[in-house]
């Protein structure tokens, strides 16, 4: 029987496609999620917030293997990520966040329908109370825009004014999109986004930066406020640096992500 090189390569390619498909199907498996949002009391930092807080935790960056939930994350950011800090160090908590991330990745419309329903329930139940909402506890996604895309609901409409949305982001385009709105974003400094930080400063916005030791009073000519006293960034004055003290693996950082000369 004559050996056919083209058929051989076709067979290899077909087998590889089948292997990739099996891997993809396996990755897509996730369990139904009872609640996407967690009460802020489950986190030592958001527990300090003066307002009742709800937060969404997903597995960050490329942990689920097929999607990147923190597309602007630098190497230093990934190494210092607090994903496994606090309750996140427990395997059941990490598996829950991975499960939610897969839900977001593979069933996008249903994910946002459920998230919208949870937000509506909070809004309706606590309509006379201001509630803080952080949708990116361990991710960096424009959930506000995607909620509107998949459900038609604009949660920044004044009708939902009791829901105070805030987040950190390394995405300069998302930051500029919502600057001046009632979605309060703090731009996160890394070792690779110096130019974007300058752009935020020129706009009069706020930057979050991690410092190795005690926080300075000023840095780069800007006042430094203590971001560890509370996670609630909604009421921060403009034009400041939100200082965060290095924790966990961040204490070992040599990339420049953590500021150690000041």
């Amino acid at each position: 029987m004559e050996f056919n090189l083209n058929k051989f390569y076709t067979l290899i390619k077909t087998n590889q496609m089948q292997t990739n498909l099996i891997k993809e199907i396996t990755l897509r498996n996730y369990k139904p999620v009872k609640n996407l949002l967690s009460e802020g009391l489950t986190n030592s930092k958001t527990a300090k917030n003066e307002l009742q807080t709800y937060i969404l935790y997903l597995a960050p960056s490329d942990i689920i293997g097929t999607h990147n939930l923190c597309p602007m994350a630098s190497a230093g950011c990934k190494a210092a990520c607090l994903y496994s800090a606090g309750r996140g160090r427990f395997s059941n908590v990490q598996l829950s966040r991975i499960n939610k991330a897969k839900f977001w990745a593979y069933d996008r419309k249903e994910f946002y329908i459920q998230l919208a329903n949870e937000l509506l329930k909070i809004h309706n139940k606590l309509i006379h109370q201001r509630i803080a909402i952080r949708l990116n506890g361990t991710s960096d996604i424009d959930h506000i825009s995607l909620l509107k895309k998949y459900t038609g609901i604009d949660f920044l409409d004044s009708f939902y004014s009791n829901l105070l949305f805030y987040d950190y982001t390394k995405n300069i385009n998302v930051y500029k999109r919502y600057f001046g709105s009632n979605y309060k974003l703090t731009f996160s400094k890394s070792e690779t986004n110096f130019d974007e930080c300058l752009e935020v400063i020129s706009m009069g916005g706020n930057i979050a930066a991690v410092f190795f030791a005690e926080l300075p009073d000023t840095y780069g000519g800007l006042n430094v406020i203590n971001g560890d006293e509370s996670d609630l960034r909604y009421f921060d004055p403009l034009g400041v640096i939100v200082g965060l003290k290095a924790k966990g693996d961040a204490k070992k950082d040599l990339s420049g992500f953590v500021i150690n000369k000041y």
Side-chain angles (χ1 to χ4, degrees), residues 23-24 27 60-69 102 106:
K23 183 179 179 182
E24 181 81 358
L27 285 167
S61 191
D62 53 2
I63 282 181
I64 64 171
T66 57
H67 293 70
N68 191 339
L69 282 72
K102 288 182 177 181
Y106 298 118

Side-chain angles (χ1 to χ4, degrees), residues 110-128:
E110 289 304 314
F111 178 94
Y112 283 108
I113 288 174
Q114 179 168 336
L115 180 57
N117 284 331
E118 290 185 29
L119 290 169
L120 290 172
K121 183 177 179 180
I122 294 168
H123 167 261
N124 294 335
K125 182 179 179 180
L126 304 168
I127 194 166
H128 299 299

Side-chain angles (χ1 to χ4, degrees), residues 4 7 23 25 45 54 71 80 91 101-102 135 150 160 183 190-191 193 204 231 234 244:
N4 188 311
K7 285 186 178 180
K23 183 179 179 182
I25 291 172
K45 193 172 178 184
Y54 288 86
S91 59
K102 288 182 177 181
L135 297 179
Y150 287 105
Y160 305 101
Y183 180 24
S190 75
E191 76 278 16
N193 63 5
D231 185 66
Y234 197 89
L244 304 166

Side-chain angles (χ1 to χ4, degrees), residues 87-107:
R87 294 179 71 251
R89 69 183 182 275
F90 300 115
S91 59
N92 63 319
V93 175
Q94 292 188 26
L95 288 174
S96 173
R97 294 176 182 181
I98 289 171
N99 190 60
K100 290 178 182 178
K102 288 182 177 181
F103 183 16
W104 175 85
Y106 298 118
D107 207 348

Side-chain angles (χ1 to χ4, degrees), residues 56-198:
L56 172 61
Y57 288 112
L58 305 174
S61 191
D62 53 2
I63 282 181
I64 64 171
T66 57
H67 293 70
N68 191 339
L69 282 72
C70 303
M72 302 301 173
S74 65
C77 175
K78 291 179 182 179
C81 184
L82 295 178
Y83 167 62
S84 58
R87 294 179 71 251
R89 69 183 182 275
F90 300 115
S91 59
N92 63 319
V93 175
Q94 292 188 26
L95 288 174
S96 173
R97 294 176 182 181
I98 289 171
N99 190 60
K100 290 178 182 178
K102 288 182 177 181
F103 183 16
W104 175 85
Y106 298 118
D107 207 348
R108 194 72 55 87
K109 185 173 183 179
E110 289 304 314
F111 178 94
Y112 283 108
I113 288 174
Q114 179 168 336
L115 180 57
N117 284 331
E118 290 185 29
L119 290 169
L120 290 172
K121 183 177 179 180
I122 294 168
H123 167 261
N124 294 335
K125 182 179 179 180
L126 304 168
I127 194 166
H128 299 299
Q129 180 179 337
R130 293 191 300 179
I131 305 297
I133 307 288
R134 184 176 171 191
L135 297 179
N136 282 302
T138 41
S139 56
D140 194 355
I141 300 165
D142 186 357
H143 290 296
I144 295 293
S145 176
L146 291 170
L147 276 164
K148 188 174 182 179
K149 174 182 177 180
Y150 287 105
T151 71
I153 301 173
D154 180 5
F155 279 99
L156 299 187
D157 187 275
S158 59
F159 181 75
Y160 305 101
S161 59
N162 66 316
L163 302 181
L164 309 184
F165 292 91
Y166 76 99
D167 269 314
Y168 296 86
T169 185
K170 284 186 175 67
N171 190 322
I172 188 64
N173 292 322
V174 171
Y175 184 87
K176 290 192 290 187
R177 183 177 303 149
Y178 295 105
F179 185 72
S181 75
N182 56 340
Y183 180 24
K184 308 299 184 182
L185 291 174
T186 302
F187 190 77
S188 295
K189 175 198 168 296
S190 75
E191 76 278 16
T192 61
N193 63 5
F194 182 73
D195 289 342
E196 287 87 349
C197 287
L198 290 180

